[in-house]
């Protein structure tokens, strides 16, 4: 079946970076894009950025422009989101979601990232 | 700073009908914003319901429908079930970037 499986829980110190992976299966990875979305505890959803898997081009939310990098490895059907210069308010669940032709449909299970000294 | 606004909370009786809306700070929401709607229950990842304002996914229950209404995107639930109690989020496209609404907490009571 179509699914996105994300990497496990991360605990990071302030100032560090985190890299979350998202492995796709059940569909042709290169025909789609992947967006990254986060949700702080008790808060709403926040879009962070997107990658066109085939072309490799990216778009980022202005808020994260200088700290986030989204990449993809077509050989393993895996997308990655790296967020640097972590702060305590980056503590959140991070989701990958399939996103192409304005259809945002299949979500990963989420990865909890905790930033604490 | 673009803001997408949803009702913070709504209450509906079982079997009733409720409409959730999604407004843009830039003006009227049109099909060009490609509205998507999602349902999220506590402790779960969001689940997609609607794309391109009106289109349902294969798994979307028939009681959910999307529309453009009075300059906003709208999600209507007809014949609400207790299991529809959840948070609902809209998502709008702004030329290369998506912006989520703040979410609506729907209570079925």
């Amino acid at each position: 079946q179509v699914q996105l499986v994300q990497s496990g829980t991360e605990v990071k110190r302030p100032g560090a970076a985190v890299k979350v992976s998202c492995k796709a299966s059940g569909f042709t990875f290169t025909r789609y894009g992947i967006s990254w979305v986060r949700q702080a505890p008790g808060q709403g959803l926040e879009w962070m950025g997107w990658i066109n898997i085939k072309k490799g081009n990216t778009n980022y939310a202005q808020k994260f422009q200088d700290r986030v990098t989204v990449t993809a490895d077509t050989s393993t059907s895996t997308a990655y989101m790296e967020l640097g210069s972590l702060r305590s308010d980056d503590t959140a669940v991070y989701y990958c979601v399939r996103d192409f032709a304005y259809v945002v449909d299949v979500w990963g299970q989420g990865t909890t990232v905790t930033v604490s000294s | 700073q673009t803001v997408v606004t949803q009702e913070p909370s709504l209450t509906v009786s079982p079997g009733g009908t409720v409409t959730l809306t999604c407004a843009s700070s830039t003006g009227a929401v049109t099909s060009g914003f490609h509205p998507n709607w999602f349902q999220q229950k506590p402790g779960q990842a969001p689940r997609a319901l609607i794309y391109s304002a009106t289109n349902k996914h294969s798994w979307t229950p028939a009681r959910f429908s999307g529309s453009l209404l009075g300059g906003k995107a709208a999600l209507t639930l007809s014949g609400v079930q207790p299991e529809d109690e959840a948070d609902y989020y809209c998502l709008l496209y702004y030329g290369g970037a998506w912006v989520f609404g703040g979410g609506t907490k729907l209570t079925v009571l």
Side-chain angles (χ1 to χ4, degrees), chain A residues 4-81:
Chain A
L4 298 172
V5 178
Q6 299 183 222
S7 49
T9 299
E10 300 269 9
V11 179
K12 295 292 181 181
R13 300 292 191 201
V18 67
K19 191 170 186 177
V20 180
S21 68
C22 169
K23 184 170 176 60
S25 61
F27 64 97
T28 304
F29 188 55
T30 52
R31 291 184 182 173
Y32 289 87
I34 296 288
S35 269
W36 288 87
V37 174
R38 76 177 187 180
Q39 186 169 37
Q43 302 300 309
L45 302 173
E46 183 173 31
W47 182 81
M48 299 178 67
W50 170 87
I51 184 168
N52 178 312
I53 300 301
K54 184 173 184 178
K55 296 181 179 179
N57 57 298
T58 54
N59 289 322
Y60 298 120
Q62 195 168 7
K63 174 178 178 178
F64 300 103
Q65 191 88 35
D66 57 348
R67 292 200 297 141
V68 71
T69 304
V70 175
T71 57
D73 181 346
T74 56
S75 69
T76 59
S77 297
T78 304
Y80 298 91
M81 185 283 299

